[in-house]
Amino acid sequence: MKKSRHVLILTLLVVALLPLGAIVPAVAQEPVTLRITNWAGVQEAAEFQQIVDEVNANNTEFQIVYEPKPDDYYTQLQTQLAGGTAPDLFWLDQDHMAWAYDGVLLDISEYLANDDRDVANPEDYFPGVWQTVALNDGVFGLPWIAQPVVLYYNRDIFDAMGVEYPTADWTWDDFKAAAEALTTEEHYGFTLNGWPPIHMFIWSFGGEVISEDLKTSPIDTPEAIAGAQFYADMIYNPACCPTQEVLAEEGFAEMFKAGRVAMFMGGAADDLDRVEGLNVGVSPVPKGVNGENVTFAWTAATVINAKTEHPDLAYEALVQLTEGIHHWKIVSPRVSQATVEHLVASEPRKEANAEPILAAVPYMRAFRIVPRFAEWSQIFWEDFQDPLFHGEDTAENLAADARILLEDVLGD
Amino acid sequence: MTGDPGAFATYYPTLLRYVGVAVGLGILMYGLYRLLRLAGVKHEPATGFTLVVPWIVGFLIFVTFPIGLSFYLSFTEYNILWDRPKPLADPLFNYKRALSIRIVELPEGERPIQVLGTMEGETPETVRYREIGRFHWRGKEYVIGATDGYFLKGVWLTLRYAVLSVPLGMVGALGVALLLNQNVKGVGFWRTLYYLPAVLPAAAVALLWYWLFAPSSGLVNWFLSPIYRLLDMQPLGWFTDKSLVLPSFIIMGLWGIFGANTVILLAGLKNIPKDLYEAAAIDGAGTFTKFRHITIPMLSPALFYNLVTNTIAALTIFTQQAFIPTDRQDGWFVNWFIYNEAFNFGRMGYASALGWMLALLVILLTLLIFRSSAAWVFYEGARQEAGGA
């Protein structure tokens, strides 16, 4: 009796599984499923889904399934990559493009060479942005955004203080003088807290933090020291900027929004020019020693998992998605799309400030990505920037010591 | 996503795996049961063994295997993004990297980083000694360098946290348990209330404390604001001021007073026979004497249990720091440090070695507590067996 019951249970289990077996060949005839993930929150994910839907509607060979991961994105993604369950495509910001050196991203350089679409043309991307994907003798993704840092300024404070509005011709000395002139008991001229990155100031003063061949960190050159010292002289200095305590108390960008800071450097897509009750203008950042308004660009790319089972289709999906994103996110990283018309079509609310934003675009630069970039950045912060901002030693001494440590990372 | 034609195609392999695992376990259990019965084991024990099989399989796969793998990885160079670990020329490199210290003379005008040098031997990357301290001896200045001063700083911070927070927490829990042991009206309500913190997720509690300690809008500084005004001082920068990081975490850790700790001590208090107190009262013992000579010894097994579990919890603190960022220079708790090495810097091999060193530290301290128990833990049953009371 008992034996027959066991046989019955096993038979039932097998029967229950039969429909699933039947599904397998049925699914195999469907278009290939490609998975994509990114860090988008609810609103951004809904907008991204629309782009995915448009791509899906125009394809019969593949269909993209979108899996947003708004929390703890990189830990989840690393774990998926290690476990072999990562999606076919995913977003990486420039800081994480160093994963290209670990072999987890697909090199698409051959695909690009055989593709004549504009979105697949490396020449159509701003070089300062393209360098974040052109790594290790390959190309590991397509940039989908390049947000240059621009100077937001509160016109009302400028008018009240009788200071001329910023222009692209301002030098850093003009900028500093204005920041000091705009500082009163009610408001500060400018604000820094580690943002924007000190790299931007070093570049603008003619220095480099990582050399072009990625082998050295010449942060102790007179140019680099000058840029870093300029930053250190302003940050937390109550003659022009809020102290650390005031920032802890009132917030960083919040102070600009509250009319407590006259000038703020933020990303071009930030909404600081649309704060209710504020009359805000936008200008490129001051020009540097070579006469260019060198600025930092926050960039990110869509990349392909090196272990995707469908590299050809994944590449096709990448290209079509990227084209869609370039009509959604500002600023597009492509030269051919650096026009007022394109920017306004992507984000109509930026119409009033489209021109100064586009004036900043040709001079934007992203980080140079090296293997172990996270470790390099941690040392650069802990052993150079942070002690410099707190006056623990001179810029020269700190730079000399930090360079040794940074080049240890680059040299391995 | 709604209306997505590929959604089922994505998830059916997972569904199949789930069913496959269930069927596999079922077959394994059935096979084991038949085997045991064939070997002459009676129905009841055979059923028992069969029913624990899923747990044992889960334990082997999800606990034993990772423990073994991390031990192996600790002797390799491994990034989680790589397909496989790389062997190390010196298998002990990861352990040496964590613990190497060097003391050298610092000639006048030289900077420590120039004289400390790098780790010797075949290392997969350049590992430099960094200054962790200086001292003068016989008219000369010496500098102490470590290959991973941040780890040593983390160990020191974690040990201080454990040594300070565990006794404070236990005294607090004892106080709360004594209060809850009183025959007051609505004691059931109070007991429920004081147990509630135990059911809250640690992440939520960490965020709650982070807000309480916020420099400007936090409740703690709001309560202290009259004192700040009186003394004409700036509000304290909890978690941001280097010197306040540890005290902030300790105060936050006192949250653990409530919940399980208190309940265990309360149960211990309830188990103390009333006649001991009555006999002591007849002999003229006062409240403190009864507490010192009856309550504490009779409660010592519960105190011992709390001491062991709280010490382990304090040494492996993680969640709080994951939600409350502090600077690495000010010290990171060891577990958080390990997590960062593994996932932010891609050094899973090194992180595994650090994990094993932390495990060793926890085991050693736990053994020490166990060894000390003979001197202060009173087991009534043991005394009776030995022909005592």
Side-chain angles (χ1 to χ4, degrees):
Chain A
M1 180 65 190
K2 274 183 186 172
K3 198 171 182 178
S4 59
R5 199 192 306 159
H6 292 147
V7 171
L8 181 71
I9 290 169
L10 278 176
T11 312
L12 279 175
L13 271 172
V14 172
V15 170
L17 286 173
L18 280 178
L20 285 168
I23 285 164
V24 178
V27 170
Q29 290 163 12
E30 294 290 314
V32 167
T33 298
L34 296 171
R35 294 160 56 220
I36 185 167
T37 188
N38 63 24
W39 54 73
V42 177
Q43 177 64 30
E44 196 179 13
E47 291 171 11
F48 186 73
Q49 183 64 49
Q50 285 181 11
I51 296 173
V52 170
D53 290 343
E54 279 170 32
V55 172
N56 283 342
N58 294 321
N59 281 284
T60 50
E61 281 191 284
F62 64 84
Q63 292 290 289
I64 302 167
V65 175
Y66 174 38
E67 302 167 3
K69 290 187 184 70
D71 294 317
D72 218 2
Y73 178 72
Y74 288 105
T75 306
Q76 285 192 57
L77 190 55
Q78 278 188 83
T79 313
Q80 282 190 313
L81 285 164
T85 58
D88 303 275
L89 300 111
F90 44 89
W91 280 5
L92 289 181
D93 65 14
Q94 59 184 316
D95 293 40
H96 288 85
M97 282 306 298
W99 288 7
Y101 295 99
D102 293 310
V104 291
L105 311 183
L106 186 75
D107 181 359
I108 59 168
S109 46
E110 294 219 352
Y111 289 106
L112 294 175
N114 297 311
D115 193 335
D116 57 3
R117 286 170 287 188
D118 286 345
V119 66
N121 177 12
E123 304 295 319
D124 197 25
Y125 287 82
F126 287 99
V129 177
W130 187 252
Q131 68 180 12
T132 61
V133 294
L135 305 165
N136 211 15
D137 297 327
V139 178
F140 297 90
L142 290 175
W144 55 262
I145 194 170
Q147 267 211 71
V149 169
V150 292
L151 183 64
Y152 293 94
Y153 59 95
N154 184 324
R155 288 196 183 98
D156 292 341
I157 297 179
F158 272 75
D159 291 344
M161 300 299 293
V163 178
E164 295 281 321
Y165 294 154
T167 69
D169 288 329
W170 265 21
T171 63
W172 285 107
D173 286 338
D174 296 333
F175 171 77
K176 192 174 181 184
E180 286 169 357
L182 291 160
T183 301
T184 66
E185 283 190 3
E186 281 78 42
H187 45 72
Y188 296 91
F190 182 50
T191 185
L192 289 166
N193 73 344
W195 171 267
I198 198 171
H199 312 54
M200 185 179 111
F201 291 74
I202 292 175
W203 297 333
S204 194
F205 279 76
E208 287 291 347
V209 293
I210 294 176
S211 60
E212 204 170 348
D213 62 5
L214 310 183
K215 287 182 177 160
T216 60
S217 278
I219 59 168
D220 55 353
T221 60
E223 295 82 8
I225 297 281
Q229 193 62 58
F230 182 88
Y231 198 107
D233 287 344
M234 292 192 87
I235 191 170
Y236 310 142
N237 180 354
C240 64
C241 304
T243 60
Q244 204 167 4
E245 290 74 26
V246 173
L247 283 169
E249 198 74 16
E250 301 185 38
F252 185 51
E254 290 75 12
M255 284 188 78
F256 182 78
K257 291 178 184 172
R260 292 268 291 138
V261 166
M263 294 186 285
F264 185 87
M265 288 185 185
D270 293 351
D271 57 2
L272 294 169
D273 50 348
R274 300 198 300 273
V275 180
E276 206 170 316
L278 281 194
N279 181 13
V280 176
V282 178
S283 162
V285 299
K287 63 184 180 187
V289 290
N290 62 2
E292 293 177 349
N293 304 83
V294 180
T295 191
F296 171 72
W298 184 86
T299 75
T302 309
V303 300
I304 300 175
N305 183 350
K307 289 186 179 161
T308 179
E309 288 174 20
H310 311 286
D312 297 353
L313 293 175
Y315 171 76
E316 189 52 39
L318 168 72
V319 168
Q320 292 187 28
L321 279 171
T322 306
E323 185 65 65
I325 299 171
H326 287 171
H327 287 82
W328 166 45
K329 288 287 185 185
I330 64 163
V331 175
S332 164
R334 283 159 61 188
V335 180
S336 62
Q337 294 179 336
T339 63
V340 172
E341 294 73 31
H342 185 86
L343 192 147
V344 174
S346 302
E347 175 52 281
R349 292 175 298 179
K350 283 286 180 186
E351 185 169 10
N353 293 311
E355 281 188 23
I357 289 172
L358 289 169
V361 162
Y363 306 111
M364 62 184 174
R365 272 184 67 173
F367 295 138
R368 284 188 172 138
I369 308 301
V370 293
R372 293 166 65 193
F373 185 73
E375 200 181 341
W376 186 95
S377 298
Q378 183 92 13
I379 293 170
F380 190 55
W381 173 259
E382 287 178 348
D383 291 274
F384 183 60
Q385 294 185 69
D386 193 48
L388 179 66
F389 299 162
H390 291 98
E392 290 175 21
D393 207 339
T394 63
E396 286 81 2
N397 281 342
L398 290 167
D401 282 3
R403 178 170 182 164
I404 294 170
L405 298 165
L406 294 170
E407 290 184 355
D408 281 347
V409 175
L410 297 181
D412 290 320
Chain B
M1 289 285 146
T2 317
D4 191 334
F8 182 74
T10 307
Y11 294 114
Y12 88 88
T14 308
L15 187 66
L16 272 183
R17 282 186 206 115
Y18 269 116
V19 176
V21 167
V23 171
L25 277 175
I27 292 168
L28 189 70
M29 288 167 75
Y30 181 75
L32 181 77
Y33 177 80
R34 298 307 315 165
L35 213 67
L36 288 171
R37 293 292 282 149
L38 278 175
V41 179
K42 288 186 177 165
H43 167 69
E44 216 163 82
T47 308
F49 283 123
T50 304
L51 291 176
V52 296
V53 161
W55 186 87
I56 289 172
V57 170
F59 181 79
L60 288 175
I61 295 173
F62 297 114
V63 179
T64 314
F65 174 70
I67 288 174
L69 185 67
S70 79
F71 187 67
Y72 163 70
L73 290 177
S74 73
F75 299 104
T76 67
E77 186 191 4
Y78 179 53
N79 181 329
I80 193 170
L81 297 174
W82 298 350
D83 283 340
R84 56 184 62 83
K86 293 179 190 169
L88 286 165
D90 176 2
L92 291 176
F93 165 74
N94 286 330
Y95 292 89
K96 289 178 183 170
R97 176 194 195 134
L99 301 172
S100 294
I101 286 178
R102 174 182 283 175
I103 300 172
V104 293
E105 189 187 333
L106 183 63
E108 213 176 315
E110 296 269 352
R111 294 181 63 78
I113 203 157
Q114 295 164 324
V115 296
L116 280 168
T118 57
M119 201 170 158
E120 284 152 12
E122 272 193 70
T123 57
E125 60 190 67
T126 309
V127 181
R128 196 167 287 280
Y129 285 89
R130 308 281 309 278
E131 179 187 354
I132 56 168
R134 292 187 205 190
F135 65 93
H136 285 86
W137 193 57
R138 293 189 174 176
K140 288 180 179 170
E141 189 175 17
Y142 292 85
V143 58
I144 310 166
T147 45
D148 195 346
Y150 291 125
F151 171 65
L152 299 181
K153 202 176 255 189
V155 172
W156 179 229
L157 178 80
T158 310
L159 281 174
R160 280 184 299 158
Y161 174 76
V163 166
L164 293 170
S165 72
V166 172
L168 277 175
M170 285 181 59
V171 170
L174 181 59
V176 175
L178 287 169
L179 284 175
L180 292 178
N181 197 33
Q182 306 301 310
N183 286 322
V184 291
K185 212 173 176 184
V187 72
F189 168 76
W190 295 114
R191 282 177 193 162
T192 311
L193 191 72
Y194 280 100
Y195 188 71
L196 272 182
V199 300
L200 294 177
V205 172
L207 282 176
L208 180 79
W209 278 97
Y210 195 37
W211 290 328
L212 286 174
F213 277 131
S216 56
S217 52
L219 209 58
V220 174
N221 274 355
W222 183 78
F223 271 117
L224 294 174
S225 56
I227 299 171
Y228 296 144
R229 277 197 293 275
L230 196 69
L231 301 176
D232 193 24
M233 61 185 280
Q234 286 286 324
L236 293 175
W238 306 98
F239 292 119
T240 52
D241 183 332
K242 192 182 289 198
S243 59
L244 289 175
V245 169
L246 182 61
S248 305
F249 276 112
I250 289 174
I251 294 170
M252 189 178 148
L254 295 182
W255 181 261
I257 286 173
F258 309 110
N261 278 337
T262 300
V263 169
I264 288 162
L265 292 180
L266 185 60
L269 285 171
K270 292 280 174 202
N271 272 342
I272 301 174
K274 293 276 183 293
D275 50 3
L276 292 179
Y277 290 109
E278 287 162 10
I282 291 165
D283 288 345
T287 309
F288 179 75
T289 310
K290 282 192 269 185
F291 176 74
R292 166 74 184 81
H293 294 285
I294 299 173
T295 308
I296 292 292
M298 294 300 286
L299 206 56
S300 57
L303 287 169
F304 172 68
Y305 173 80
N306 274 0
L307 179 64
V308 171
T309 53
N310 289 355
T311 304
I312 293 171
L315 291 171
T316 54
I317 177 173
F318 177 84
T319 313
Q320 288 86 335
Q321 186 138 48
F323 287 89
I324 302 177
T326 57
D327 285 341
R328 189 167 69 156
Q329 297 101 310
D330 304 337
W332 278 351
F333 290 112
V334 178
N335 245 347
W336 179 243
F337 185 85
I338 291 171
Y339 171 83
N340 271 278
E341 285 293 328
F343 290 97
N344 283 347
F345 300 145
R347 292 203 196 99
M348 189 58 85
Y350 183 51
S352 299
L354 297 181
W356 273 92
M357 282 188 274
L358 176 64
L360 205 65
L361 182 71
V362 171
I363 291 167
L364 280 176
L365 285 176
T366 310
L367 283 177
L368 208 66
I369 296 169
F370 267 90
R371 287 296 293 264
S372 76
S373 68
W376 62 277
V377 181
F378 172 78
Y379 290 109
E380 202 179 5
R383 290 286 174 94
Q384 281 168 353
E385 268 177 35

